Amino acid sequence: MSAPAEEYAGGSAQADHLCVLVHGLWGNPNHMRNIAKALRKKYSHDHLYILLAKQNSGNFTYDGIDRGGERICAEIEAEIREIESRGGKITKLSIVGYSLGGLISRYAVGLLYAKGFFNTVKCMNFVTFASPHLGVRSPRKGWINHIWNVLGARSLSISGRQLFMIDKFRDTERPLLSVLADPNSIFMSGLREFKRRALYTNIVNDRSAVYYTTGIQKTDPYTDMDRVKVNYLKGYEGVILDPMNPSVARPRVQRPATWSTITASILKWVKRIPFMLKIALILSVGIVAFLINAVIQTIRSANRIRLHDTGKSGLKIEEYRMSIWMKEIQEEVEHAYEALNNSQNQEYLGTEDEEDEDLDAEDRSLLQRERRLSISTQPTLALTPHQFKMIDSLDSVGWRKYPVWIHNNRHSHAAIIVRMDKPSFDEGLLVLKHFAEAEFMI
């Protein structure tokens, strides 16, 4: 039986480096067990103190990225007070977020920055695994994706609206994720403090958070793996791509149809039948239960949010509701919903059309620029103006981006951090080995 995550947590009074591990949606600290295990294998309790954040466990992740960030910020502060009461002293901080936990961590970093926490603590590593930095709205065509964009946003309470970017965060009249990536916000100022920012992104089979959003990209060259040749990182062949030169497009060769190519196409389609039947079964049998649970959890989340925002949940909320801006700026309200709708049914940016007239001049200019930069061999995805701005802002701070190809399991979102011990997740162990031994700075 596997050792519990708590076995790898904590540290001695000699440890001056605190590493906080933040789980994702519907998660719990045990999801981060193998990340903690990889770190502990490399660094002893005397060198690294590991905190497995637990205040957002389970359905508490429904309550919003902002409230999750406030809880994590409070949890970090409480842990440091506890460490100091035992004679320890934390001088370095690292934060690792998985999935939604990466966004919650970015919010918490902004709060810590605004509170002056980084004046006495050196920021070392900020790392995310499969985190949807651009939200989870799908830019692809198809009725399933349309349902996902409309229904998904309304089935996860406040967090769902924020992830699909249909919320208006406080008095900004903008989606929270847009504010989170604003160059003038405390969140980006806090992110810049870290010596190293890195992300690990699945290139295929991540049904929860696809490549473009977890890799902060405008394009997705991995929609058809037969058309790309990947270059692996030395020592991590078969799993991690070389971040400096991850792939090259294979030349397209038009060949006349033959009996063998037709047979191969038929076999490829037949192999997908079990998966298609499974999806159909899930949709027909599970969607009712999912929607019922979504309603129940949304109601419970609303009650928790009311207690949280009135300070009745045990958190002194006034300590975490400071100004989110580094300086006073006046910004025109951006048309979030129009931009989302304009791109909703497109796979890639198309030519300019009359729908662009619904956008303001700045957003029209931005989309025109992105269309000019799009190339036929690697076309730009049909993202919203908000998302394009987020990419430019996030990229400005510098990220070490590691594309990951999980072959042995179609649930790569869980496999990338080995969320549970199973043989088909073993490729994720190589990812965690790279993170702990080659990426993490002590």
Side-chain angles (χ1 to χ4, degrees), residues 2-48:
S2 301
E6 288 297 331
E7 180 174 314
Y8 308 109
S12 72
Q14 284 72 44
D16 63 350
H17 189 161
L18 172 65
C19 181
V20 185
L21 306 184
V22 185
H23 64 74
L25 188 67
W26 301 308
N28 61 72
N30 207 51
H31 283 181
M32 310 297 282
R33 185 181 73 85
N34 281 305
I35 297 180
K37 182 179 179 180
L39 286 171
R40 187 57 73 212
K41 183 178 180 180
K42 179 70 175 178
Y43 305 107
S44 71
H45 285 75
D46 291 336
H47 291 92
L48 185 66

Short mmCIF file of all heavy atoms in Angstrom, two decimals, residues 2-48:
data_model
loop_
_atom_site.label_atom_id
_atom_site.label_comp_id
_atom_site.label_asym_id
_atom_site.label_seq_id
_atom_site.Cartn_x
_atom_site.Cartn_y
_atom_site.Cartn_z
N SER A 2 0.50 2.26 -0.79
CA SER A 2 1.29 3.47 -0.91
C SER A 2 1.25 4.28 0.38
O SER A 2 0.24 4.32 1.08
CB SER A 2 0.77 4.33 -2.06
OG SER A 2 0.82 3.62 -3.27
N ALA A 3 2.36 4.94 0.66
CA ALA A 3 2.43 5.79 1.84
C ALA A 3 1.56 7.02 1.63
O ALA A 3 1.46 7.54 0.52
CB ALA A 3 3.88 6.20 2.10
N PRO A 4 0.90 7.53 2.68
CA PRO A 4 0.07 8.72 2.53
C PRO A 4 0.93 9.95 2.23
O PRO A 4 2.13 9.99 2.53
CB PRO A 4 -0.61 8.84 3.90
CG PRO A 4 0.32 8.14 4.84
CD PRO A 4 0.90 7.00 4.05
N ALA A 5 0.30 10.95 1.63
CA ALA A 5 1.03 12.16 1.25
C ALA A 5 1.68 12.84 2.44
O ALA A 5 2.78 13.40 2.33
CB ALA A 5 0.07 13.13 0.56
N GLU A 6 1.03 12.79 3.60
CA GLU A 6 1.55 13.48 4.77
C GLU A 6 2.91 12.95 5.21
O GLU A 6 3.65 13.65 5.91
CB GLU A 6 0.55 13.35 5.94
CG GLU A 6 -0.70 14.19 5.77
CD GLU A 6 -0.41 15.68 5.73
OE1 GLU A 6 0.59 16.11 6.34
OE2 GLU A 6 -1.17 16.41 5.08
N GLU A 7 3.26 11.73 4.78
CA GLU A 7 4.56 11.18 5.15
C GLU A 7 5.70 12.00 4.56
O GLU A 7 6.80 12.05 5.11
CB GLU A 7 4.66 9.73 4.68
CG GLU A 7 6.00 9.07 5.02
CD GLU A 7 6.02 7.60 4.67
OE1 GLU A 7 5.04 6.90 5.01
OE2 GLU A 7 7.00 7.15 4.06
N TYR A 8 5.44 12.66 3.45
CA TYR A 8 6.48 13.43 2.78
C TYR A 8 6.40 14.93 3.13
O TYR A 8 7.26 15.71 2.72
CB TYR A 8 6.35 13.27 1.27
CG TYR A 8 6.31 11.83 0.83
CD1 TYR A 8 5.12 11.27 0.35
CD2 TYR A 8 7.43 11.01 0.94
CE1 TYR A 8 5.06 9.93 -0.03
CE2 TYR A 8 7.38 9.67 0.56
CZ TYR A 8 6.19 9.14 0.08
OH TYR A 8 6.13 7.82 -0.30
N ALA A 9 5.37 15.32 3.87
CA ALA A 9 5.16 16.73 4.19
C ALA A 9 5.98 17.15 5.40
O ALA A 9 6.62 16.34 6.07
CB ALA A 9 3.68 16.99 4.44
N GLY A 10 5.93 18.46 5.67
CA GLY A 10 6.63 19.00 6.83
C GLY A 10 8.11 19.19 6.60
O GLY A 10 8.60 19.16 5.47
N GLY A 11 8.84 19.39 7.68
CA GLY A 11 10.27 19.61 7.61
C GLY A 11 10.80 19.90 9.00
O GLY A 11 10.04 20.08 9.95
N SER A 12 12.11 19.96 9.12
CA SER A 12 12.72 20.23 10.42
C SER A 12 12.91 21.73 10.62
O SER A 12 12.69 22.53 9.71
CB SER A 12 14.08 19.53 10.52
OG SER A 12 15.04 20.17 9.69
N ALA A 13 13.37 22.10 11.82
CA ALA A 13 13.61 23.51 12.13
C ALA A 13 14.74 24.08 11.30
O ALA A 13 14.87 25.30 11.15
CB ALA A 13 13.90 23.67 13.62
N GLN A 14 15.58 23.21 10.73
CA GLN A 14 16.71 23.67 9.92
C GLN A 14 16.29 24.08 8.50
O GLN A 14 16.99 24.83 7.83
CB GLN A 14 17.78 22.58 9.82
CG GLN A 14 18.64 22.40 11.07
CD GLN A 14 17.86 21.77 12.21
OE1 GLN A 14 17.13 20.80 12.01
NE2 GLN A 14 17.99 22.32 13.41
N ALA A 15 15.15 23.58 8.04
CA ALA A 15 14.69 23.86 6.68
C ALA A 15 14.28 25.33 6.55
O ALA A 15 13.43 25.81 7.31
CB ALA A 15 13.53 22.95 6.31
N ASP A 16 14.89 26.03 5.59
CA ASP A 16 14.56 27.45 5.39
C ASP A 16 13.78 27.70 4.10
O ASP A 16 13.45 28.83 3.77
CB ASP A 16 15.84 28.30 5.38
CG ASP A 16 16.77 27.95 4.23
OD1 ASP A 16 16.53 26.92 3.55
OD2 ASP A 16 17.75 28.69 4.00
N HIS A 17 13.48 26.63 3.37
CA HIS A 17 12.78 26.74 2.09
C HIS A 17 11.42 26.04 2.21
O HIS A 17 11.35 24.84 2.46
CB HIS A 17 13.62 26.08 0.99
CG HIS A 17 13.11 26.30 -0.40
ND1 HIS A 17 13.91 26.14 -1.52
CD2 HIS A 17 11.89 26.67 -0.88
CE1 HIS A 17 13.20 26.40 -2.61
NE2 HIS A 17 11.97 26.71 -2.24
N LEU A 18 10.36 26.82 2.04
CA LEU A 18 9.00 26.28 2.10
C LEU A 18 8.47 26.08 0.69
O LEU A 18 8.47 27.01 -0.13
CB LEU A 18 8.07 27.24 2.86
CG LEU A 18 6.57 26.90 2.83
CD1 LEU A 18 6.30 25.58 3.55
CD2 LEU A 18 5.75 28.04 3.45
N CYS A 19 8.01 24.87 0.38
CA CYS A 19 7.39 24.57 -0.91
C CYS A 19 5.92 24.21 -0.66
O CYS A 19 5.62 23.26 0.07
CB CYS A 19 8.10 23.42 -1.62
SG CYS A 19 7.40 23.02 -3.24
N VAL A 20 5.02 24.96 -1.28
CA VAL A 20 3.59 24.76 -1.10
C VAL A 20 3.02 24.03 -2.32
O VAL A 20 3.23 24.46 -3.46
CB VAL A 20 2.87 26.11 -0.92
CG1 VAL A 20 1.38 25.89 -0.61
CG2 VAL A 20 3.53 26.93 0.19
N LEU A 21 2.31 22.94 -2.09
CA LEU A 21 1.70 22.16 -3.17
C LEU A 21 0.19 22.36 -3.13
O LEU A 21 -0.45 22.08 -2.12
CB LEU A 21 2.04 20.67 -3.02
CG LEU A 21 3.53 20.30 -2.90
CD1 LEU A 21 3.69 18.78 -2.85
CD2 LEU A 21 4.34 20.91 -4.03
N VAL A 22 -0.38 22.83 -4.25
CA VAL A 22 -1.79 23.20 -4.31
C VAL A 22 -2.53 22.33 -5.33
O VAL A 22 -2.21 22.37 -6.53
CB VAL A 22 -1.96 24.69 -4.68
CG1 VAL A 22 -3.43 25.09 -4.61
CG2 VAL A 22 -1.12 25.58 -3.75
N HIS A 23 -3.49 21.55 -4.87
CA HIS A 23 -4.22 20.62 -5.75
C HIS A 23 -5.24 21.35 -6.60
O HIS A 23 -5.45 22.57 -6.48
CB HIS A 23 -4.90 19.53 -4.91
CG HIS A 23 -5.96 20.07 -3.98
ND1 HIS A 23 -7.19 20.50 -4.42
CD2 HIS A 23 -5.96 20.26 -2.63
CE1 HIS A 23 -7.92 20.91 -3.39
NE2 HIS A 23 -7.19 20.78 -2.29
N GLY A 24 -5.92 20.60 -7.46
CA GLY A 24 -6.86 21.17 -8.42
C GLY A 24 -8.32 20.98 -8.06
O GLY A 24 -8.67 20.67 -6.92
N LEU A 25 -9.18 21.15 -9.07
CA LEU A 25 -10.62 21.07 -8.91
C LEU A 25 -11.03 19.69 -8.38
O LEU A 25 -10.56 18.67 -8.86
CB LEU A 25 -11.30 21.34 -10.26
CG LEU A 25 -12.82 21.48 -10.28
CD1 LEU A 25 -13.26 22.73 -9.53
CD2 LEU A 25 -13.33 21.52 -11.72
N TRP A 26 -11.91 19.70 -7.40
CA TRP A 26 -12.39 18.47 -6.75
C TRP A 26 -11.27 17.69 -6.07
O TRP A 26 -11.43 16.53 -5.71
CB TRP A 26 -13.09 17.53 -7.74
CG TRP A 26 -14.26 18.10 -8.44
CD1 TRP A 26 -15.34 18.71 -7.89
CD2 TRP A 26 -14.49 18.13 -9.86
NE1 TRP A 26 -16.22 19.11 -8.85
CE2 TRP A 26 -15.73 18.77 -10.08
CE3 TRP A 26 -13.77 17.68 -10.95
CZ2 TRP A 26 -16.26 18.97 -11.33
CZ3 TRP A 26 -14.30 17.88 -12.21
CH2 TRP A 26 -15.53 18.51 -12.40
N GLY A 27 -10.11 18.31 -5.91
CA GLY A 27 -8.95 17.58 -5.42
C GLY A 27 -8.80 17.56 -3.92
O GLY A 27 -9.64 18.05 -3.15
N ASN A 28 -7.70 16.97 -3.50
CA ASN A 28 -7.33 16.91 -2.09
C ASN A 28 -5.81 16.78 -2.02
O ASN A 28 -5.16 16.49 -3.03
CB ASN A 28 -8.04 15.74 -1.39
CG ASN A 28 -7.67 14.40 -1.99
OD1 ASN A 28 -6.56 13.92 -1.82
ND2 ASN A 28 -8.62 13.80 -2.72
N PRO A 29 -5.22 17.00 -0.85
CA PRO A 29 -3.76 16.96 -0.74
C PRO A 29 -3.12 15.67 -1.24
O PRO A 29 -1.99 15.68 -1.73
CB PRO A 29 -3.52 17.16 0.76
CG PRO A 29 -4.71 17.92 1.23
CD PRO A 29 -5.86 17.39 0.43
N ASN A 30 -3.84 14.56 -1.16
CA ASN A 30 -3.26 13.29 -1.57
C ASN A 30 -3.01 13.22 -3.07
O ASN A 30 -2.19 12.42 -3.53
CB ASN A 30 -4.15 12.12 -1.14
CG ASN A 30 -3.36 10.85 -0.94
OD1 ASN A 30 -2.36 10.84 -0.23
ND2 ASN A 30 -3.79 9.77 -1.57
N HIS A 31 -3.70 14.07 -3.85
CA HIS A 31 -3.43 14.12 -5.29
C HIS A 31 -2.00 14.58 -5.57
O HIS A 31 -1.44 14.28 -6.62
CB HIS A 31 -4.40 15.08 -5.97
CG HIS A 31 -5.78 14.52 -6.15
ND1 HIS A 31 -6.81 15.21 -6.76
CD2 HIS A 31 -6.31 13.31 -5.81
CE1 HIS A 31 -7.90 14.46 -6.78
NE2 HIS A 31 -7.62 13.31 -6.21
N MET A 32 -1.42 15.31 -4.62
CA MET A 32 -0.08 15.86 -4.80
C MET A 32 0.98 14.95 -4.19
O MET A 32 2.15 15.34 -4.08
CB MET A 32 0.00 17.26 -4.17
CG MET A 32 -1.11 18.19 -4.59
SD MET A 32 -1.11 18.56 -6.36
CE MET A 32 0.22 19.76 -6.45
N ARG A 33 0.60 13.76 -3.81
CA ARG A 33 1.49 12.85 -3.08
C ARG A 33 2.77 12.55 -3.85
O ARG A 33 3.87 12.60 -3.28
CB ARG A 33 0.76 11.54 -2.77
CG ARG A 33 1.57 10.58 -1.90
CD ARG A 33 0.80 9.30 -1.66
NE ARG A 33 0.76 8.49 -2.86
CZ ARG A 33 1.72 7.63 -3.22
NH1 ARG A 33 2.80 7.49 -2.46
NH2 ARG A 33 1.61 6.92 -4.32
N ASN A 34 2.66 12.24 -5.13
CA ASN A 34 3.86 11.84 -5.87
C ASN A 34 4.76 13.03 -6.21
O ASN A 34 5.95 12.84 -6.43
CB ASN A 34 3.47 11.06 -7.12
CG ASN A 34 3.11 9.62 -6.79
OD1 ASN A 34 3.91 8.89 -6.19
ND2 ASN A 34 1.90 9.20 -7.14
N ILE A 35 4.20 14.23 -6.26
CA ILE A 35 5.05 15.42 -6.39
C ILE A 35 5.86 15.58 -5.12
O ILE A 35 7.08 15.82 -5.15
CB ILE A 35 4.21 16.68 -6.67
CG1 ILE A 35 3.47 16.55 -8.00
CG2 ILE A 35 5.10 17.92 -6.67
CD1 ILE A 35 2.62 17.76 -8.35
N ALA A 36 5.18 15.46 -3.98
CA ALA A 36 5.87 15.56 -2.68
C ALA A 36 6.92 14.46 -2.54
O ALA A 36 8.03 14.70 -2.04
CB ALA A 36 4.85 15.49 -1.55
N LYS A 37 6.58 13.28 -2.99
CA LYS A 37 7.50 12.15 -2.90
C LYS A 37 8.76 12.39 -3.73
O LYS A 37 9.88 12.11 -3.29
CB LYS A 37 6.80 10.87 -3.37
CG LYS A 37 7.66 9.61 -3.26
CD LYS A 37 6.88 8.40 -3.73
CE LYS A 37 7.73 7.13 -3.66
NZ LYS A 37 6.95 5.94 -4.14
N ALA A 38 8.58 12.94 -4.95
CA ALA A 38 9.73 13.23 -5.81
C ALA A 38 10.64 14.28 -5.20
O ALA A 38 11.87 14.17 -5.25
CB ALA A 38 9.23 13.68 -7.19
N LEU A 39 10.03 15.30 -4.61
CA LEU A 39 10.82 16.34 -3.95
C LEU A 39 11.55 15.79 -2.74
O LEU A 39 12.73 16.09 -2.51
CB LEU A 39 9.92 17.51 -3.54
CG LEU A 39 9.41 18.42 -4.66
CD1 LEU A 39 8.36 19.38 -4.12
CD2 LEU A 39 10.56 19.19 -5.29
N ARG A 40 10.85 14.97 -1.97
CA ARG A 40 11.45 14.44 -0.74
C ARG A 40 12.58 13.47 -1.05
O ARG A 40 13.56 13.36 -0.29
CB ARG A 40 10.38 13.76 0.12
CG ARG A 40 10.87 13.32 1.48
CD ARG A 40 11.45 14.50 2.29
NE ARG A 40 10.44 15.41 2.79
CZ ARG A 40 10.63 16.70 2.95
NH1 ARG A 40 11.78 17.25 2.59
NH2 ARG A 40 9.67 17.48 3.42
N LYS A 41 12.48 12.78 -2.15
CA LYS A 41 13.56 11.87 -2.56
C LYS A 41 14.84 12.65 -2.84
O LYS A 41 15.96 12.15 -2.60
CB LYS A 41 13.14 11.09 -3.80
CG LYS A 41 14.16 10.06 -4.27
CD LYS A 41 13.65 9.29 -5.48
CE LYS A 41 14.68 8.26 -5.96
NZ LYS A 41 14.18 7.51 -7.14
N LYS A 42 14.69 13.87 -3.31
CA LYS A 42 15.84 14.72 -3.66
C LYS A 42 16.30 15.57 -2.48
O LYS A 42 17.50 15.79 -2.28
CB LYS A 42 15.46 15.62 -4.84
CG LYS A 42 16.55 16.58 -5.30
CD LYS A 42 17.71 15.87 -5.97
CE LYS A 42 18.71 16.87 -6.52
NZ LYS A 42 19.89 16.20 -7.14
N TYR A 43 15.35 16.06 -1.68
CA TYR A 43 15.68 16.99 -0.60
C TYR A 43 15.15 16.49 0.75
O TYR A 43 13.97 16.15 0.87
CB TYR A 43 15.10 18.38 -0.89
CG TYR A 43 15.52 18.92 -2.23
CD1 TYR A 43 14.62 18.98 -3.31
CD2 TYR A 43 16.82 19.37 -2.45
CE1 TYR A 43 15.00 19.47 -4.55
CE2 TYR A 43 17.21 19.87 -3.69
CZ TYR A 43 16.31 19.90 -4.73
OH TYR A 43 16.69 20.39 -5.95
N SER A 44 15.99 16.49 1.74
CA SER A 44 15.62 15.99 3.06
C SER A 44 14.76 16.99 3.83
O SER A 44 14.59 18.14 3.41
CB SER A 44 16.89 15.71 3.87
OG SER A 44 17.52 16.93 4.25
N HIS A 45 14.26 16.54 4.98
CA HIS A 45 13.45 17.40 5.85
C HIS A 45 14.27 18.58 6.37
O HIS A 45 13.69 19.60 6.76
CB HIS A 45 12.88 16.60 7.02
CG HIS A 45 11.73 15.71 6.65
ND1 HIS A 45 11.90 14.53 5.96
CD2 HIS A 45 10.40 15.83 6.87
CE1 HIS A 45 10.72 13.95 5.78
NE2 HIS A 45 9.79 14.73 6.32
N ASP A 46 15.58 18.47 6.37
CA ASP A 46 16.44 19.55 6.85
C ASP A 46 16.66 20.63 5.79
O ASP A 46 17.13 21.73 6.11
CB ASP A 46 17.81 19.02 7.30
CG ASP A 46 17.72 18.19 8.56
OD1 ASP A 46 16.74 18.38 9.33
OD2 ASP A 46 18.61 17.34 8.79
N HIS A 47 16.34 20.31 4.54
CA HIS A 47 16.58 21.27 3.46
C HIS A 47 15.30 21.85 2.87
O HIS A 47 15.30 22.97 2.36
CB HIS A 47 17.39 20.60 2.34
CG HIS A 47 18.79 20.29 2.71
ND1 HIS A 47 19.17 19.07 3.24
CD2 HIS A 47 19.91 21.05 2.65
CE1 HIS A 47 20.47 19.08 3.47
NE2 HIS A 47 20.95 20.27 3.13
N LEU A 48 14.22 21.09 2.91
CA LEU A 48 12.97 21.55 2.29
C LEU A 48 11.78 21.22 3.17
O LEU A 48 11.60 20.08 3.61
CB LEU A 48 12.80 20.89 0.92
CG LEU A 48 11.59 21.35 0.09
CD1 LEU A 48 11.75 22.81 -0.32
CD2 LEU A 48 11.42 20.46 -1.15
#
